[in-house]
Amino acid sequence: LEHLGRLSELSAAQTALEKALELDPLCEEAARLMMEAALAGGRPERAVAAYRLIERSLRAYEAEPHSDLLRLRLRAEMGL
């Protein structure tokens, strides 16, 4: 049951972080937390999707994601 509670908490965190990125699509901190939550929940594909979302948003302003996000994306891709 403890595992189910943790998964529920991760799911709630994911939902909150998705909302944060909707409100501020350039928030790399929200993207990082979202990617970490996805990896912790065994959902590397969601981490990659979060990376791609923030990458698109930043590139619209001719910016690149922070190297921490790139490392998380690589970790997620290795888990796919």
Side-chain angles (χ1 to χ4, degrees), residues 17-76:
L17 291 165
E18 287 170 2
K19 185 65 174 172
L21 279 174
E22 284 177 24
L23 296 172
D24 183 0
L26 301 176
C27 184
E28 289 186 276
E29 180 69 11
R32 182 185 62 77
L33 292 170
M34 190 169 163
M35 292 173 74
E36 289 174 348
L39 289 169
R43 302 289 306 271
E45 71 282 357
R46 290 187 80 170
V48 172
Y51 179 87
R52 289 185 178 140
L53 178 67
I54 192 77
E55 180 182 43
R56 268 192 313 276
S57 296
L58 289 168
R59 286 205 173 151
Y61 292 91
E62 297 182 10
E64 295 291 326
H66 191 275
S67 60
D68 289 344
L69 296 179
L70 178 58
R71 279 191 287 276
L72 285 170
R73 189 203 81 203
L74 294 173
R75 192 171 122 208

CSV table of all heavy atoms in Angstrom, one decimal, residues 17-76:
chain,number,residue,atom,x,y,z
A,17,LEU,N,2.8,20.0,-11.8
A,17,LEU,CA,3.9,20.5,-12.6
A,17,LEU,C,3.4,20.8,-14.1
A,17,LEU,O,3.9,21.7,-14.7
A,17,LEU,CB,5.1,19.6,-12.5
A,17,LEU,CG,5.7,19.6,-11.2
A,17,LEU,CD1,6.7,18.3,-11.0
A,17,LEU,CD2,6.5,20.8,-10.9
A,18,GLU,N,2.6,19.9,-14.6
A,18,GLU,CA,2.0,20.2,-15.9
A,18,GLU,C,1.3,21.5,-15.9
A,18,GLU,O,1.4,22.3,-16.9
A,18,GLU,CB,1.1,19.0,-16.4
A,18,GLU,CG,1.9,17.8,-16.7
A,18,GLU,CD,1.0,16.6,-16.9
A,18,GLU,OE1,-0.3,16.7,-16.8
A,18,GLU,OE2,1.5,15.5,-17.1
A,19,LYS,N,0.5,21.8,-14.9
A,19,LYS,CA,-0.2,23.1,-14.8
A,19,LYS,C,0.8,24.2,-14.7
A,19,LYS,O,0.6,25.3,-15.3
A,19,LYS,CB,-1.1,23.0,-13.6
A,19,LYS,CG,-2.0,24.2,-13.5
A,19,LYS,CD,-3.0,24.3,-14.6
A,19,LYS,CE,-4.0,25.4,-14.4
A,19,LYS,NZ,-4.8,25.6,-15.6
A,20,ALA,N,1.8,24.1,-13.9
A,20,ALA,CA,2.8,25.1,-13.8
A,20,ALA,C,3.5,25.4,-15.1
A,20,ALA,O,3.7,26.6,-15.5
A,20,ALA,CB,3.9,24.7,-12.8
A,21,LEU,N,3.7,24.4,-16.0
A,21,LEU,CA,4.3,24.6,-17.3
A,21,LEU,C,3.3,25.3,-18.2
A,21,LEU,O,3.7,26.0,-19.1
A,21,LEU,CB,4.9,23.3,-17.9
A,21,LEU,CG,6.3,22.9,-17.4
A,21,LEU,CD1,6.7,21.6,-17.9
A,21,LEU,CD2,7.3,24.0,-17.7
A,22,GLU,N,2.0,25.0,-18.0
A,22,GLU,CA,1.0,25.7,-18.9
A,22,GLU,C,1.0,27.2,-18.6
A,22,GLU,O,0.9,28.0,-19.5
A,22,GLU,CB,-0.4,25.1,-18.6
A,22,GLU,CG,-0.6,23.7,-19.2
A,22,GLU,CD,-2.0,23.2,-18.8
A,22,GLU,OE1,-2.9,24.0,-18.5
A,22,GLU,OE2,-2.2,22.0,-18.8
A,23,LEU,N,1.2,27.5,-17.3
A,23,LEU,CA,1.1,28.9,-16.8
A,23,LEU,C,2.4,29.6,-17.2
A,23,LEU,O,2.4,30.8,-17.5
A,23,LEU,CB,0.9,29.0,-15.3
A,23,LEU,CG,-0.5,28.5,-14.9
A,23,LEU,CD1,-0.5,28.4,-13.3
A,23,LEU,CD2,-1.6,29.3,-15.4
A,24,ASP,N,3.6,28.9,-17.1
A,24,ASP,CA,4.9,29.5,-17.5
A,24,ASP,C,5.7,28.5,-18.3
A,24,ASP,O,6.4,27.7,-17.7
A,24,ASP,CB,5.6,29.9,-16.2
A,24,ASP,CG,6.9,30.6,-16.5
A,24,ASP,OD1,7.3,30.7,-17.7
A,24,ASP,OD2,7.6,30.9,-15.5
A,25,PRO,N,5.5,28.5,-19.6
A,25,PRO,CA,6.1,27.4,-20.4
A,25,PRO,C,7.6,27.6,-20.5
A,25,PRO,O,8.3,26.7,-21.1
A,25,PRO,CB,5.5,27.6,-21.8
A,25,PRO,CG,4.9,29.0,-21.8
A,25,PRO,CD,4.6,29.3,-20.3
A,26,LEU,N,8.2,28.6,-19.9
A,26,LEU,CA,9.7,28.8,-19.9
A,26,LEU,C,10.3,28.4,-18.5
A,26,LEU,O,11.5,28.6,-18.3
A,26,LEU,CB,10.0,30.2,-20.2
A,26,LEU,CG,9.6,30.7,-21.6
A,26,LEU,CD1,9.9,32.2,-21.7
A,26,LEU,CD2,10.1,29.9,-22.7
A,27,CYS,N,9.5,27.8,-17.6
A,27,CYS,CA,10.0,27.5,-16.3
A,27,CYS,C,10.8,26.2,-16.3
A,27,CYS,O,10.2,25.1,-16.2
A,27,CYS,CB,8.8,27.4,-15.3
A,27,CYS,SG,9.3,27.1,-13.6
A,28,GLU,N,12.1,26.3,-16.4
A,28,GLU,CA,12.9,25.2,-16.4
A,28,GLU,C,12.9,24.4,-15.1
A,28,GLU,O,13.0,23.2,-15.1
A,28,GLU,CB,14.4,25.5,-16.7
A,28,GLU,CG,14.5,26.0,-18.2
A,28,GLU,CD,15.9,26.2,-18.6
A,28,GLU,OE1,16.4,27.3,-18.3
A,28,GLU,OE2,16.6,25.3,-19.1
A,29,GLU,N,12.7,25.1,-14.0
A,29,GLU,CA,12.6,24.4,-12.7
A,29,GLU,C,11.4,23.4,-12.7
A,29,GLU,O,11.5,22.3,-12.2
A,29,GLU,CB,12.5,25.4,-11.5
A,29,GLU,CG,12.4,24.8,-10.2
A,29,GLU,CD,13.6,24.1,-9.7
A,29,GLU,OE1,14.7,24.3,-10.4
A,29,GLU,OE2,13.6,23.4,-8.7
A,30,ALA,N,10.2,23.9,-13.2
A,30,ALA,CA,9.0,23.0,-13.2
A,30,ALA,C,9.3,21.9,-14.2
A,30,ALA,O,8.9,20.7,-13.9
A,30,ALA,CB,7.8,23.8,-13.7
A,31,ALA,N,10.0,22.1,-15.3
A,31,ALA,CA,10.3,21.0,-16.2
A,31,ALA,C,11.2,20.0,-15.6
A,31,ALA,O,11.0,18.8,-15.7
A,31,ALA,CB,10.9,21.6,-17.5
A,32,ARG,N,12.2,20.5,-14.8
A,32,ARG,CA,13.2,19.6,-14.1
A,32,ARG,C,12.4,18.7,-13.1
A,32,ARG,O,12.6,17.5,-13.1
A,32,ARG,CB,14.3,20.4,-13.4
A,32,ARG,CG,15.3,19.5,-12.8
A,32,ARG,CD,16.3,20.3,-12.0
A,32,ARG,NE,15.8,21.1,-10.9
A,32,ARG,CZ,15.4,20.6,-9.7
A,32,ARG,NH1,15.5,19.3,-9.5
A,32,ARG,NH2,14.9,21.4,-8.8
A,33,LEU,N,11.6,19.4,-12.3
A,33,LEU,CA,10.8,18.6,-11.3
A,33,LEU,C,9.9,17.6,-12.0
A,33,LEU,O,9.7,16.5,-11.5
A,33,LEU,CB,10.1,19.6,-10.4
A,33,LEU,CG,10.9,20.4,-9.5
A,33,LEU,CD1,10.1,21.5,-8.8
A,33,LEU,CD2,11.7,19.6,-8.5
A,34,MET,N,9.3,18.0,-13.1
A,34,MET,CA,8.4,17.1,-13.8
A,34,MET,C,9.2,15.9,-14.3
A,34,MET,O,8.7,14.8,-14.2
A,34,MET,CB,7.7,17.9,-14.9
A,34,MET,CG,6.6,17.2,-15.6
A,34,MET,SD,5.8,18.4,-16.7
A,34,MET,CE,4.9,17.3,-17.7
A,35,MET,N,10.3,16.2,-14.9
A,35,MET,CA,11.2,15.1,-15.4
A,35,MET,C,11.6,14.1,-14.3
A,35,MET,O,11.6,12.9,-14.4
A,35,MET,CB,12.4,15.6,-16.1
A,35,MET,CG,12.0,16.4,-17.4
A,35,MET,SD,13.4,17.2,-18.2
A,35,MET,CE,14.2,15.8,-18.9
A,36,GLU,N,12.0,14.7,-13.2
A,36,GLU,CA,12.4,13.9,-12.0
A,36,GLU,C,11.3,13.0,-11.5
A,36,GLU,O,11.4,11.9,-11.2
A,36,GLU,CB,13.0,14.7,-10.9
A,36,GLU,CG,14.4,15.3,-11.3
A,36,GLU,CD,14.9,16.3,-10.2
A,36,GLU,OE1,14.1,16.7,-9.4
A,36,GLU,OE2,16.1,16.6,-10.4
A,37,ALA,N,10.1,13.6,-11.4
A,37,ALA,CA,8.9,12.9,-10.9
A,37,ALA,C,8.6,11.7,-11.9
A,37,ALA,O,8.2,10.6,-11.5
A,37,ALA,CB,7.7,13.8,-10.8
A,38,ALA,N,8.7,12.0,-13.2
A,38,ALA,CA,8.4,11.0,-14.2
A,38,ALA,C,9.4,9.8,-14.1
A,38,ALA,O,9.0,8.7,-14.1
A,38,ALA,CB,8.4,11.6,-15.6
A,39,LEU,N,10.6,10.2,-13.9
A,39,LEU,CA,11.6,9.1,-13.8
A,39,LEU,C,11.4,8.3,-12.5
A,39,LEU,O,11.5,7.1,-12.5
A,39,LEU,CB,13.1,9.7,-13.8
A,39,LEU,CG,13.5,10.2,-15.2
A,39,LEU,CD1,14.8,11.0,-15.1
A,39,LEU,CD2,13.7,9.1,-16.1
A,40,ALA,N,11.1,9.0,-11.4
A,40,ALA,CA,10.9,8.3,-10.1
A,40,ALA,C,9.7,7.4,-10.2
A,40,ALA,O,9.6,6.4,-9.6
A,40,ALA,CB,10.7,9.3,-9.0
A,41,GLY,N,8.7,7.8,-11.0
A,41,GLY,CA,7.5,7.0,-11.2
A,41,GLY,C,7.6,5.9,-12.3
A,41,GLY,O,6.6,5.3,-12.6
A,42,GLY,N,8.8,5.8,-12.8
A,42,GLY,CA,9.0,4.7,-13.9
A,42,GLY,C,8.4,5.1,-15.2
A,42,GLY,O,8.1,4.2,-16.0
A,43,ARG,N,8.3,6.4,-15.5
A,43,ARG,CA,7.7,6.9,-16.8
A,43,ARG,C,8.7,7.7,-17.5
A,43,ARG,O,8.5,8.9,-17.7
A,43,ARG,CB,6.5,7.7,-16.5
A,43,ARG,CG,5.4,7.0,-15.7
A,43,ARG,CD,4.6,5.9,-16.4
A,43,ARG,NE,4.1,6.4,-17.7
A,43,ARG,CZ,2.9,6.9,-17.9
A,43,ARG,NH1,2.1,7.1,-16.9
A,43,ARG,NH2,2.5,7.3,-19.1
A,44,PRO,N,9.8,7.1,-18.0
A,44,PRO,CA,10.8,7.9,-18.8
A,44,PRO,C,10.3,8.6,-20.0
A,44,PRO,O,10.7,9.6,-20.4
A,44,PRO,CB,11.9,6.8,-19.1
A,44,PRO,CG,11.2,5.5,-19.0
A,44,PRO,CD,10.1,5.7,-18.0
A,45,GLU,N,9.2,8.0,-20.6
A,45,GLU,CA,8.7,8.6,-21.8
A,45,GLU,C,8.0,10.0,-21.5
A,45,GLU,O,8.1,10.9,-22.3
A,45,GLU,CB,7.6,7.7,-22.5
A,45,GLU,CG,6.3,7.5,-21.8
A,45,GLU,CD,6.4,6.5,-20.6
A,45,GLU,OE1,7.4,5.9,-20.3
A,45,GLU,OE2,5.3,6.4,-19.9
A,46,ARG,N,7.5,10.1,-20.2
A,46,ARG,CA,6.9,11.4,-19.8
A,46,ARG,C,8.1,12.4,-19.5
A,46,ARG,O,7.9,13.6,-19.7
A,46,ARG,CB,6.1,11.2,-18.6
A,46,ARG,CG,4.8,10.5,-18.9
A,46,ARG,CD,3.8,10.5,-17.7
A,46,ARG,NE,3.2,11.8,-17.7
A,46,ARG,CZ,2.1,12.0,-16.9
A,46,ARG,NH1,1.7,11.1,-16.1
A,46,ARG,NH2,1.6,13.2,-16.9
A,47,ALA,N,9.2,11.9,-19.1
A,47,ALA,CA,10.3,12.8,-18.8
A,47,ALA,C,10.8,13.4,-20.2
A,47,ALA,O,11.1,14.6,-20.3
A,47,ALA,CB,11.5,12.1,-18.1
A,48,VAL,N,10.9,12.5,-21.2
A,48,VAL,CA,11.3,13.0,-22.5
A,48,VAL,C,10.3,13.9,-23.1
A,48,VAL,O,10.7,15.0,-23.7
A,48,VAL,CB,11.6,11.7,-23.4
A,48,VAL,CG1,11.8,12.2,-24.9
A,48,VAL,CG2,12.7,10.9,-23.0
A,49,ALA,N,9.1,13.7,-22.9
A,49,ALA,CA,8.0,14.6,-23.4
A,49,ALA,C,8.1,16.0,-22.7
A,49,ALA,O,8.0,17.0,-23.4
A,49,ALA,CB,6.6,14.0,-23.2
A,50,ALA,N,8.4,16.0,-21.4
A,50,ALA,CA,8.6,17.2,-20.7
A,50,ALA,C,9.8,18.0,-21.2
A,50,ALA,O,9.7,19.2,-21.4
A,50,ALA,CB,8.7,17.0,-19.2
A,51,TYR,N,10.9,17.3,-21.5
A,51,TYR,CA,12.0,17.9,-22.1
A,51,TYR,C,11.7,18.6,-23.4
A,51,TYR,O,12.1,19.7,-23.7
A,51,TYR,CB,13.2,16.9,-22.2
A,51,TYR,CG,14.4,17.6,-22.9
A,51,TYR,CD1,15.3,18.2,-22.1
A,51,TYR,CD2,14.6,17.6,-24.2
A,51,TYR,CE1,16.4,18.9,-22.6
A,51,TYR,CE2,15.7,18.2,-24.8
A,51,TYR,CZ,16.6,18.9,-24.0
A,51,TYR,OH,17.7,19.5,-24.5
A,52,ARG,N,11.0,17.8,-24.3
A,52,ARG,CA,10.7,18.3,-25.6
A,52,ARG,C,9.8,19.6,-25.5
A,52,ARG,O,9.9,20.5,-26.3
A,52,ARG,CB,10.1,17.2,-26.4
A,52,ARG,CG,11.1,16.2,-26.8
A,52,ARG,CD,10.5,15.2,-27.8
A,52,ARG,NE,11.6,14.2,-28.1
A,52,ARG,CZ,11.4,12.9,-28.2
A,52,ARG,NH1,10.2,12.4,-28.1
A,52,ARG,NH2,12.4,12.1,-28.6
A,53,LEU,N,8.9,19.6,-24.6
A,53,LEU,CA,8.0,20.7,-24.4
A,53,LEU,C,8.8,22.0,-24.0
A,53,LEU,O,8.7,23.0,-24.6
A,53,LEU,CB,7.0,20.4,-23.3
A,53,LEU,CG,6.0,21.5,-22.9
A,53,LEU,CD1,5.1,21.8,-24.1
A,53,LEU,CD2,5.2,21.1,-21.7
A,54,ILE,N,9.7,21.9,-23.0
A,54,ILE,CA,10.4,23.0,-22.5
A,54,ILE,C,11.4,23.4,-23.6
A,54,ILE,O,11.7,24.6,-23.8
A,54,ILE,CB,11.1,22.8,-21.2
A,54,ILE,CG1,11.7,24.1,-20.6
A,54,ILE,CG2,12.2,21.8,-21.3
A,54,ILE,CD1,10.7,25.0,-20.0
A,55,GLU,N,12.0,22.5,-24.3
A,55,GLU,CA,12.9,22.8,-25.4
A,55,GLU,C,12.3,23.6,-26.5
A,55,GLU,O,12.8,24.6,-26.9
A,55,GLU,CB,13.5,21.5,-26.0
A,55,GLU,CG,14.5,21.7,-27.1
A,55,GLU,CD,14.9,20.4,-27.7
A,55,GLU,OE1,14.1,19.5,-28.0
A,55,GLU,OE2,16.1,20.3,-28.0
A,56,ARG,N,11.1,23.2,-26.9
A,56,ARG,CA,10.3,24.0,-27.9
A,56,ARG,C,10.0,25.4,-27.4
A,56,ARG,O,10.2,26.4,-28.2
A,56,ARG,CB,9.0,23.3,-28.3
A,56,ARG,CG,9.1,22.4,-29.4
A,56,ARG,CD,7.7,22.0,-29.9
A,56,ARG,NE,6.7,21.5,-28.9
A,56,ARG,CZ,6.7,20.3,-28.3
A,56,ARG,NH1,7.5,19.4,-28.8
A,56,ARG,NH2,5.8,20.0,-27.4
A,57,SER,N,9.6,25.5,-26.2
A,57,SER,CA,9.3,26.8,-25.6
A,57,SER,C,10.5,27.7,-25.6
A,57,SER,O,10.4,28.9,-25.9
A,57,SER,CB,8.7,26.7,-24.2
A,57,SER,OG,7.5,26.0,-24.2
A,58,LEU,N,11.6,27.2,-25.1
A,58,LEU,CA,12.9,28.0,-25.0
A,58,LEU,C,13.4,28.4,-26.4
A,58,LEU,O,13.9,29.5,-26.6
A,58,LEU,CB,13.9,27.2,-24.2
A,58,LEU,CG,13.6,27.1,-22.7
A,58,LEU,CD1,14.6,26.1,-22.1
A,58,LEU,CD2,13.7,28.5,-22.1
A,59,ARG,N,13.3,27.4,-27.4
A,59,ARG,CA,13.8,27.7,-28.7
A,59,ARG,C,13.0,28.8,-29.4
A,59,ARG,O,13.6,29.5,-30.2
A,59,ARG,CB,13.8,26.5,-29.5
A,59,ARG,CG,15.0,25.6,-29.1
A,59,ARG,CD,15.4,24.6,-30.2
A,59,ARG,NE,16.6,23.9,-29.7
A,59,ARG,CZ,16.9,22.7,-30.1
A,59,ARG,NH1,16.2,22.1,-31.0
A,59,ARG,NH2,18.0,22.2,-29.7
A,60,ALA,N,11.8,29.0,-29.0
A,60,ALA,CA,11.0,30.1,-29.5
A,60,ALA,C,11.7,31.5,-29.2
A,60,ALA,O,11.4,32.5,-29.8
A,60,ALA,CB,9.6,30.0,-29.0
A,61,TYR,N,12.4,31.4,-28.1
A,61,TYR,CA,13.2,32.6,-27.6
A,61,TYR,C,14.7,32.5,-27.9
A,61,TYR,O,15.5,33.2,-27.3
A,61,TYR,CB,12.9,32.9,-26.1
A,61,TYR,CG,11.5,33.3,-25.9
A,61,TYR,CD1,10.5,32.3,-25.6
A,61,TYR,CD2,11.1,34.6,-26.0
A,61,TYR,CE1,9.2,32.7,-25.4
A,61,TYR,CE2,9.8,35.0,-25.7
A,61,TYR,CZ,8.8,34.0,-25.5
A,61,TYR,OH,7.5,34.4,-25.3
A,62,GLU,N,15.0,31.6,-28.8
A,62,GLU,CA,16.4,31.4,-29.2
A,62,GLU,C,17.3,31.0,-28.0
A,62,GLU,O,18.4,31.4,-27.9
A,62,GLU,CB,17.0,32.6,-29.9
A,62,GLU,CG,16.2,32.8,-31.2
A,62,GLU,CD,16.8,33.9,-32.1
A,62,GLU,OE1,17.8,34.5,-31.7
A,62,GLU,OE2,16.1,34.3,-33.1
A,63,ALA,N,16.7,30.2,-27.1
A,63,ALA,CA,17.4,29.8,-25.9
A,63,ALA,C,17.4,28.3,-25.9
A,63,ALA,O,16.7,27.6,-26.6
A,63,ALA,CB,16.7,30.3,-24.6
A,64,GLU,N,18.4,27.7,-25.1
A,64,GLU,CA,18.5,26.2,-25.0
A,64,GLU,C,18.2,25.8,-23.6
A,64,GLU,O,18.5,26.6,-22.6
A,64,GLU,CB,19.9,25.8,-25.4
A,64,GLU,CG,20.3,26.1,-26.8
A,64,GLU,CD,19.6,25.2,-27.8
A,64,GLU,OE1,19.3,24.0,-27.4
A,64,GLU,OE2,19.3,25.6,-28.9
A,65,PRO,N,17.7,24.6,-23.4
A,65,PRO,CA,17.5,24.1,-22.0
A,65,PRO,C,18.8,24.0,-21.3
A,65,PRO,O,19.9,23.7,-21.8
A,65,PRO,CB,16.9,22.7,-22.3
A,65,PRO,CG,16.3,22.7,-23.6
A,65,PRO,CD,17.2,23.7,-24.4
A,66,HIS,N,18.7,24.1,-20.0
A,66,HIS,CA,19.9,24.0,-19.1
A,66,HIS,C,20.4,22.6,-19.2
A,66,HIS,O,19.7,21.6,-19.5
A,66,HIS,CB,19.4,24.3,-17.6
A,66,HIS,CG,20.6,24.4,-16.7
A,66,HIS,ND1,21.1,23.3,-16.1
A,66,HIS,CD2,21.2,25.5,-16.3
A,66,HIS,CE1,22.1,23.8,-15.3
A,66,HIS,NE2,22.2,25.1,-15.4
A,67,SER,N,21.7,22.5,-19.0
A,67,SER,CA,22.4,21.2,-19.1
A,67,SER,C,21.8,20.1,-18.1
A,67,SER,O,21.9,18.9,-18.4
A,67,SER,CB,23.9,21.3,-18.9
A,67,SER,OG,24.2,21.8,-17.6
A,68,ASP,N,21.3,20.5,-17.0
A,68,ASP,CA,20.7,19.6,-16.1
A,68,ASP,C,19.5,18.9,-16.7
A,68,ASP,O,19.3,17.7,-16.5
A,68,ASP,CB,20.2,20.3,-14.8
A,68,ASP,CG,21.3,20.7,-13.9
A,68,ASP,OD1,22.4,20.2,-14.1
A,68,ASP,OD2,21.0,21.5,-13.0
A,69,LEU,N,18.7,19.6,-17.5
A,69,LEU,CA,17.6,19.1,-18.2
A,69,LEU,C,18.1,18.1,-19.3
A,69,LEU,O,17.4,17.0,-19.5
A,69,LEU,CB,16.7,20.1,-18.8
A,69,LEU,CG,16.0,21.1,-17.9
A,69,LEU,CD1,15.2,22.1,-18.6
A,69,LEU,CD2,15.2,20.4,-16.9
A,70,LEU,N,19.1,18.4,-20.0
A,70,LEU,CA,19.7,17.5,-21.0
A,70,LEU,C,20.1,16.2,-20.3
A,70,LEU,O,19.8,15.1,-20.9
A,70,LEU,CB,20.8,18.2,-21.7
A,70,LEU,CG,21.5,17.3,-22.8
A,70,LEU,CD1,20.6,16.9,-23.8
A,70,LEU,CD2,22.7,18.1,-23.4
A,71,ARG,N,20.8,16.3,-19.2
A,71,ARG,CA,21.2,15.1,-18.5
A,71,ARG,C,20.0,14.2,-18.1
A,71,ARG,O,20.1,13.0,-18.3
A,71,ARG,CB,22.0,15.4,-17.3
A,71,ARG,CG,23.5,15.8,-17.6
A,71,ARG,CD,24.3,15.8,-16.3
A,71,ARG,NE,24.1,17.0,-15.6
A,71,ARG,CZ,24.6,18.2,-15.8
A,71,ARG,NH1,25.5,18.3,-16.8
A,71,ARG,NH2,24.4,19.2,-15.0
A,72,LEU,N,19.0,14.8,-17.6
A,72,LEU,CA,17.7,14.1,-17.3
A,72,LEU,C,17.1,13.5,-18.5
A,72,LEU,O,16.7,12.3,-18.5
A,72,LEU,CB,16.7,15.0,-16.6
A,72,LEU,CG,17.0,15.4,-15.1
A,72,LEU,CD1,16.1,16.5,-14.7
A,72,LEU,CD2,16.9,14.1,-14.3
A,73,ARG,N,17.1,14.2,-19.6
A,73,ARG,CA,16.6,13.6,-20.9
A,73,ARG,C,17.4,12.4,-21.3
A,73,ARG,O,16.8,11.4,-21.7
A,73,ARG,CB,16.6,14.7,-22.0
A,73,ARG,CG,15.8,14.1,-23.2
A,73,ARG,CD,16.2,14.8,-24.5
A,73,ARG,NE,17.4,14.2,-25.0
A,73,ARG,CZ,18.2,14.8,-25.8
A,73,ARG,NH1,18.0,16.0,-26.2
A,73,ARG,NH2,19.3,14.2,-26.2
A,74,LEU,N,18.7,12.5,-21.2
A,74,LEU,CA,19.5,11.4,-21.6
A,74,LEU,C,19.3,10.2,-20.7
A,74,LEU,O,19.2,9.0,-21.2
A,74,LEU,CB,21.0,11.8,-21.6
A,74,LEU,CG,21.4,12.8,-22.7
A,74,LEU,CD1,22.8,13.3,-22.5
A,74,LEU,CD2,21.2,12.2,-24.1
A,75,ARG,N,19.2,10.4,-19.4
A,75,ARG,CA,18.9,9.4,-18.4
A,75,ARG,C,17.5,8.7,-18.8
A,75,ARG,O,17.4,7.5,-18.8
A,75,ARG,CB,18.8,9.9,-17.0
A,75,ARG,CG,18.8,8.9,-16.0
A,75,ARG,CD,19.0,9.5,-14.6
A,75,ARG,NE,17.9,9.2,-13.8
A,75,ARG,CZ,17.4,9.9,-12.8
A,75,ARG,NH1,18.0,11.0,-12.5
A,75,ARG,NH2,16.4,9.5,-12.1
A,76,ALA,N,16.5,9.5,-19.1
A,76,ALA,CA,15.2,9.0,-19.5
A,76,ALA,C,15.3,8.2,-20.8
A,76,ALA,O,14.7,7.1,-20.8
A,76,ALA,CB,14.2,10.2,-19.7
